[in-house]
Amino acid sequence: MVARARRGLREELRLYLVAVTSLSVAFLCVGGALLATTNLSAAAERWGESGRLSVYLRDGARPEDVTQLRMVLEGLPEVASVQSLSSEDARGMFLEQSEVSSDLASLPAEVFPPSLEVAIAEGTPIQRVDAISERVGRFRAVSDVETYRSFFDRLGSLVTAGTNLAIVIGLLVLLCVFAVIGNTIRLAVARRRNEIEVMKLCGATDNFVRGPFVLEGTFQGAMSAVLAVLALGVLFTTVRGSIDASLAELMGTRAVFLPAWMLFAIIAAGAIAGAAGSALSLRRYLTV
Amino acid sequence: MPGMPRDPEDDEGKVVRPFAFFRAGARADARAAQRPILVFDGVYKYFREDQPTLKDVYLEVERGEFAFITGPSGAGKSTLLQLVYRKHTVDQGRILFCGRDIARLTDKSIPFLRRNLGIVFQDFKVIPHWTVFENVAVALEILAMPRRLVRSRVAEALERVGLAGRGQERTESLSGGEQQRVAVARAIVTEPALILADEPTGNLDPHLAIDILTLFEEINDTGTTVLFATHDHSLIASRDHRIISIDEGRVIEARTGLRSWGTTGVHAAVG
Ligand SMILES: Nc1ncnc2c1ncn2[C@@H]1O[C@H](COP(=O)(O)OP(=O)(O)OP(=O)(O)O)[C@@H](O)[C@H]1O
Ligand SMILES: [Mg+2]
């Protein structure tokens, strides 16, 4: 069967090359979308991990409550450091950072609540940070906890959107692979109709006839995906140098390539879609 | 039941024949060998509802027989043969091949029926861009036969049809008569019990037609049953074989010994 499939590939080389090339481009789009999503989510993860908490204290919180809170926080393994900020400090920092006009400078210190600025150790998962902030929020001295989650959430929803986009593109491309390979094989089958007839008249089973065509379709699908992955790899390594610098500045992360399992999944999906496309396109031609 | 054919449905890939003991020359079952190899029993075939192409056909073909099938164009010669290799199914009646009703075979068994038949066509049905060897070997590859055996069996078949040593030539470079010999080699390489030839000489010059007819007779001499459809009177008249004549859907003559009829007999039978 492999020998007959090889003969088929040789005879229909031009036809198959066109199909494989166009499908490679399609797979390249999927790969690109996946690569962007992967990098975005990697960045989001890192940012989420190197987190910060602002624990705002109630007006008139009792000093011993604050001290106790501070001790609890410092006892947590996820907490890197705790710094307390009085109303005056906060006002000073605010005025310093926002170069605003002098009427804001007349704001009284009471407008700025005192807080504990908590730095979270690197590598702490977001869920842990949430748990800590929830626990801290129950202390009597605490009025509010700011986790800066809304920013991560926005980033997170961007990642989700990217993932969805990649999935949609992926499905479209699979449909393309299915249709293009189905058509290519249909053409090859039509050209080899006489061979099929001869084989069937000699007593070949449908599977015997179908085998090489399905193999050819599988090979085309897998080959397109492999070519796309290789092209993506080459593109990635060439542009990585220039991207990395700006990315590091912007997000504090380095560009990452797709994980191995995802590459295998792309290739497997190509092979399966190719096999299915050719198997389905063959059904009509087997009656002799 | 001893001697009954194995059920062909299950093991694909292995060399399986539903009627394995009926290969040419094989005499595994004495009773089976005495029975006719092919029986048409009240067969009707309709392509149009109002007019049957074949009606109420009764026919017995003995093992080892050589029979012409003749009749005017459109009489149903091809249809008769196509019913045997299950290109079509009978609408009424039975066709027994080696005692088995082939009308009742499932679609999945049809390949196994065809492995016991050798079919030759007017238009050769060889693949022009394959080599002569490949065109003959395909019938054995279908049986998943080992390559070494394929090589020796193909060489043997090519020798029998007079194409010894020409296996590596591209088939399209051969003459028409030679291409038909390739087709005959493909039909006999599996050593089938029955050969169906549907106007195998229709595309050939008269002297080539005689050559091909002689080839089929040589094959018949080794014990293979041959059904040879043709409307070439001169071909039929040149030999003393049984003539099965079809007209308006009925088998009107099924006699042996043409020469004993005299010339009027020929024209009565051939039309
Ligand atoms: N697949 C089919 N569908 C419809 N009608 C068919 C089909 N095959 C054969 N027929 C009809 O059956 C009749 C017999 O055809 P068949 O091919 O058996 O004749 P034949 O004796 O082989 O003729 P010829 O000598 O021209 O080959 C014809 O009238 C033909 O139109
Ligand atoms: Mg005909």
mmCIF file of all heavy atoms in Angstrom, chain B residues 47 53 71-80 82 88 122 198-199 231, ligand 1:
data_model
loop_
_atom_site.group_PDB
_atom_site.id
_atom_site.type_symbol
_atom_site.label_atom_id
_atom_site.label_comp_id
_atom_site.label_asym_id
_atom_site.label_seq_id
_atom_site.Cartn_x
_atom_site.Cartn_y
_atom_site.Cartn_z
ATOM 1 N N PHE B 47 -33.427 -3.295 -17.371
ATOM 2 C CA PHE B 47 -32.888 -1.938 -17.269
ATOM 3 C C PHE B 47 -34.023 -0.946 -17.438
ATOM 4 O O PHE B 47 -33.973 0.149 -16.910
ATOM 5 C CB PHE B 47 -31.800 -1.689 -18.313
ATOM 6 C CG PHE B 47 -30.514 -2.386 -17.977
ATOM 7 C CD1 PHE B 47 -30.007 -3.389 -18.782
ATOM 8 C CD2 PHE B 47 -29.815 -2.047 -16.828
ATOM 9 C CE1 PHE B 47 -28.824 -4.028 -18.464
ATOM 10 C CE2 PHE B 47 -28.626 -2.687 -16.502
ATOM 11 C CZ PHE B 47 -28.137 -3.681 -17.325
ATOM 12 N N THR B 53 -34.013 -6.846 -20.470
ATOM 13 C CA THR B 53 -32.866 -7.083 -21.345
ATOM 14 C C THR B 53 -32.610 -8.591 -21.451
ATOM 15 O O THR B 53 -32.300 -9.104 -22.519
ATOM 16 C CB THR B 53 -31.631 -6.355 -20.793
ATOM 17 O OG1 THR B 53 -31.911 -4.958 -20.790
ATOM 18 C CG2 THR B 53 -30.409 -6.616 -21.640
ATOM 19 N N GLY B 71 -24.945 -13.000 -30.659
ATOM 20 C CA GLY B 71 -26.236 -12.331 -30.791
ATOM 21 C C GLY B 71 -26.013 -10.938 -31.318
ATOM 22 O O GLY B 71 -24.891 -10.415 -31.237
ATOM 23 N N PRO B 72 -27.064 -10.313 -31.861
ATOM 24 C CA PRO B 72 -26.905 -8.971 -32.421
ATOM 25 C C PRO B 72 -26.553 -7.937 -31.351
ATOM 26 O O PRO B 72 -26.687 -8.194 -30.155
ATOM 27 C CB PRO B 72 -28.282 -8.676 -33.030
ATOM 28 C CG PRO B 72 -29.215 -9.621 -32.378
ATOM 29 C CD PRO B 72 -28.433 -10.827 -31.997
ATOM 30 N N SER B 73 -26.118 -6.795 -31.830
ATOM 31 C CA SER B 73 -25.752 -5.716 -30.906
ATOM 32 C C SER B 73 -26.956 -5.335 -30.040
ATOM 33 O O SER B 73 -28.069 -5.236 -30.542
ATOM 34 C CB SER B 73 -25.280 -4.515 -31.712
ATOM 35 O OG SER B 73 -24.871 -3.512 -30.829
ATOM 36 N N GLY B 74 -26.718 -5.170 -28.766
ATOM 37 C CA GLY B 74 -27.800 -4.818 -27.857
ATOM 38 C C GLY B 74 -28.618 -6.005 -27.394
ATOM 39 O O GLY B 74 -29.618 -5.848 -26.703
ATOM 40 N N ALA B 75 -28.180 -7.207 -27.762
ATOM 41 C CA ALA B 75 -28.943 -8.394 -27.388
ATOM 42 C C ALA B 75 -28.823 -8.708 -25.900
ATOM 43 O O ALA B 75 -29.721 -9.315 -25.319
ATOM 44 C CB ALA B 75 -28.451 -9.588 -28.208
ATOM 45 N N GLY B 76 -27.729 -8.301 -25.306
ATOM 46 C CA GLY B 76 -27.544 -8.566 -23.881
ATOM 47 C C GLY B 76 -26.377 -9.487 -23.575
ATOM 48 O O GLY B 76 -26.318 -10.084 -22.499
ATOM 49 N N LYS B 77 -25.423 -9.587 -24.515
ATOM 50 C CA LYS B 77 -24.252 -10.430 -24.278
ATOM 51 C C LYS B 77 -23.434 -9.894 -23.106
ATOM 52 O O LYS B 77 -23.099 -10.625 -22.175
ATOM 53 C CB LYS B 77 -23.364 -10.462 -25.534
ATOM 54 C CG LYS B 77 -24.054 -10.940 -26.785
ATOM 55 C CD LYS B 77 -23.104 -11.016 -27.967
ATOM 56 C CE LYS B 77 -22.641 -9.662 -28.490
ATOM 57 N NZ LYS B 77 -23.739 -8.853 -29.077
ATOM 58 N N SER B 78 -23.136 -8.602 -23.195
ATOM 59 C CA SER B 78 -22.343 -7.997 -22.113
ATOM 60 C C SER B 78 -23.099 -8.086 -20.795
ATOM 61 O O SER B 78 -22.510 -8.388 -19.744
ATOM 62 C CB SER B 78 -22.049 -6.535 -22.433
ATOM 63 O OG SER B 78 -21.314 -6.449 -23.626
ATOM 64 N N THR B 79 -24.402 -7.841 -20.857
ATOM 65 C CA THR B 79 -25.202 -7.888 -19.642
ATOM 66 C C THR B 79 -25.116 -9.267 -18.988
ATOM 67 O O THR B 79 -24.958 -9.375 -17.766
ATOM 68 C CB THR B 79 -26.671 -7.557 -19.972
ATOM 69 O OG1 THR B 79 -26.716 -6.305 -20.641
ATOM 70 C CG2 THR B 79 -27.510 -7.511 -18.727
ATOM 71 N N LEU B 80 -25.186 -10.301 -19.810
ATOM 72 C CA LEU B 80 -25.102 -11.660 -19.281
ATOM 73 C C LEU B 80 -23.802 -11.858 -18.498
ATOM 74 O O LEU B 80 -23.805 -12.381 -17.374
ATOM 75 C CB LEU B 80 -25.169 -12.652 -20.449
ATOM 76 C CG LEU B 80 -25.290 -14.119 -20.073
ATOM 77 C CD1 LEU B 80 -26.740 -14.546 -20.143
ATOM 78 C CD2 LEU B 80 -24.450 -15.002 -20.992
ATOM 79 N N GLN B 82 -21.881 -9.466 -17.297
ATOM 80 C CA GLN B 82 -21.818 -8.533 -16.158
ATOM 81 C C GLN B 82 -22.589 -9.058 -14.960
ATOM 82 O O GLN B 82 -22.253 -8.762 -13.810
ATOM 83 C CB GLN B 82 -22.350 -7.164 -16.583
ATOM 84 C CG GLN B 82 -21.362 -6.394 -17.450
ATOM 85 C CD GLN B 82 -22.000 -5.263 -18.220
ATOM 86 O OE1 GLN B 82 -23.205 -5.034 -18.114
ATOM 87 N NE2 GLN B 82 -21.203 -4.562 -19.003
ATOM 88 N N HIS B 88 -23.842 -6.016 -12.283
ATOM 89 C CA HIS B 88 -25.278 -5.861 -12.045
ATOM 90 C C HIS B 88 -25.783 -7.060 -11.273
ATOM 91 O O HIS B 88 -25.140 -8.101 -11.236
ATOM 92 C CB HIS B 88 -26.025 -5.766 -13.376
ATOM 93 C CG HIS B 88 -25.556 -4.671 -14.259
ATOM 94 N ND1 HIS B 88 -25.566 -3.350 -13.859
ATOM 95 C CD2 HIS B 88 -25.035 -4.681 -15.510
ATOM 96 C CE1 HIS B 88 -25.082 -2.609 -14.841
ATOM 97 N NE2 HIS B 88 -24.748 -3.391 -15.845
ATOM 98 N N GLN B 122 -13.248 -5.706 -24.427
ATOM 99 C CA GLN B 122 -12.961 -5.232 -25.774
ATOM 100 C C GLN B 122 -11.912 -4.118 -25.757
ATOM 101 O O GLN B 122 -11.032 -4.062 -26.604
ATOM 102 C CB GLN B 122 -14.268 -4.720 -26.400
ATOM 103 C CG GLN B 122 -14.094 -4.142 -27.780
ATOM 104 C CD GLN B 122 -15.428 -3.847 -28.437
ATOM 105 O OE1 GLN B 122 -16.487 -3.993 -27.830
ATOM 106 N NE2 GLN B 122 -15.381 -3.451 -29.698
ATOM 107 N N ASP B 198 -15.412 -10.413 -22.968
ATOM 108 C CA ASP B 198 -16.489 -9.655 -23.597
ATOM 109 C C ASP B 198 -15.968 -8.993 -24.872
ATOM 110 O O ASP B 198 -15.353 -7.930 -24.820
ATOM 111 C CB ASP B 198 -17.019 -8.597 -22.615
ATOM 112 C CG ASP B 198 -18.318 -7.983 -23.123
ATOM 113 O OD1 ASP B 198 -18.732 -8.310 -24.243
ATOM 114 O OD2 ASP B 198 -18.906 -7.168 -22.385
ATOM 115 N N GLU B 199 -16.172 -9.609 -25.985
ATOM 116 C CA GLU B 199 -15.669 -9.157 -27.277
ATOM 117 C C GLU B 199 -14.187 -8.796 -27.215
ATOM 118 O O GLU B 199 -13.799 -7.667 -27.559
ATOM 119 C CB GLU B 199 -16.483 -7.958 -27.777
ATOM 120 C CG GLU B 199 -17.967 -8.291 -27.783
ATOM 121 C CD GLU B 199 -18.744 -7.509 -28.806
ATOM 122 O OE1 GLU B 199 -18.154 -7.135 -29.829
ATOM 123 O OE2 GLU B 199 -19.955 -7.306 -28.597
ATOM 124 N N HIS B 231 -19.637 -11.022 -31.741
ATOM 125 C CA HIS B 231 -20.599 -11.104 -32.827
ATOM 126 C C HIS B 231 -19.890 -11.267 -34.173
ATOM 127 O O HIS B 231 -20.438 -10.998 -35.214
ATOM 128 C CB HIS B 231 -21.583 -9.922 -32.833
ATOM 129 C CG HIS B 231 -20.907 -8.584 -32.782
ATOM 130 N ND1 HIS B 231 -21.494 -7.507 -32.189
ATOM 131 C CD2 HIS B 231 -19.713 -8.176 -33.209
ATOM 132 C CE1 HIS B 231 -20.670 -6.480 -32.275
ATOM 133 N NE2 HIS B 231 -19.596 -6.857 -32.893
HETATM 134 N N1 LIG C 1 -26.198 -0.004 -17.390
HETATM 135 C C1 LIG C 1 -27.245 -0.030 -18.233
HETATM 136 N N2 LIG C 1 -28.271 0.798 -18.044
HETATM 137 C C2 LIG C 1 -29.336 0.792 -18.887
HETATM 138 N N3 LIG C 1 -29.439 -0.022 -19.928
HETATM 139 C C3 LIG C 1 -28.447 -0.877 -20.184
HETATM 140 C C4 LIG C 1 -27.288 -0.925 -19.349
HETATM 141 N N4 LIG C 1 -26.461 -1.870 -19.821
HETATM 142 C C5 LIG C 1 -27.082 -2.374 -20.901
HETATM 143 N N5 LIG C 1 -28.248 -1.793 -21.115
HETATM 144 C C6 LIG C 1 -29.178 -2.116 -22.177
HETATM 145 O O1 LIG C 1 -29.284 -3.509 -22.268
HETATM 146 C C7 LIG C 1 -29.293 -3.927 -23.607
HETATM 147 C C8 LIG C 1 -28.214 -4.956 -23.830
HETATM 148 O O2 LIG C 1 -26.953 -4.345 -23.713
HETATM 149 P P1 LIG C 1 -25.601 -5.157 -23.820
HETATM 150 O O3 LIG C 1 -24.468 -4.229 -23.637
HETATM 151 O O4 LIG C 1 -25.667 -6.331 -22.945
HETATM 152 O O5 LIG C 1 -25.654 -5.646 -25.341
HETATM 153 P P2 LIG C 1 -24.559 -6.451 -26.131
HETATM 154 O O6 LIG C 1 -25.213 -7.708 -26.594
HETATM 155 O O7 LIG C 1 -23.331 -6.583 -25.364
HETATM 156 O O8 LIG C 1 -24.324 -5.504 -27.377
HETATM 157 P P3 LIG C 1 -22.959 -5.197 -28.147
HETATM 158 O O9 LIG C 1 -22.758 -6.301 -29.102
HETATM 159 O O10 LIG C 1 -23.237 -3.906 -28.855
HETATM 160 O O11 LIG C 1 -21.886 -5.088 -27.148
HETATM 161 C C9 LIG C 1 -29.117 -2.696 -24.462
HETATM 162 O O12 LIG C 1 -30.356 -2.344 -24.990
HETATM 163 C C10 LIG C 1 -28.649 -1.626 -23.511
HETATM 164 O O13 LIG C 1 -29.237 -0.403 -23.847
#
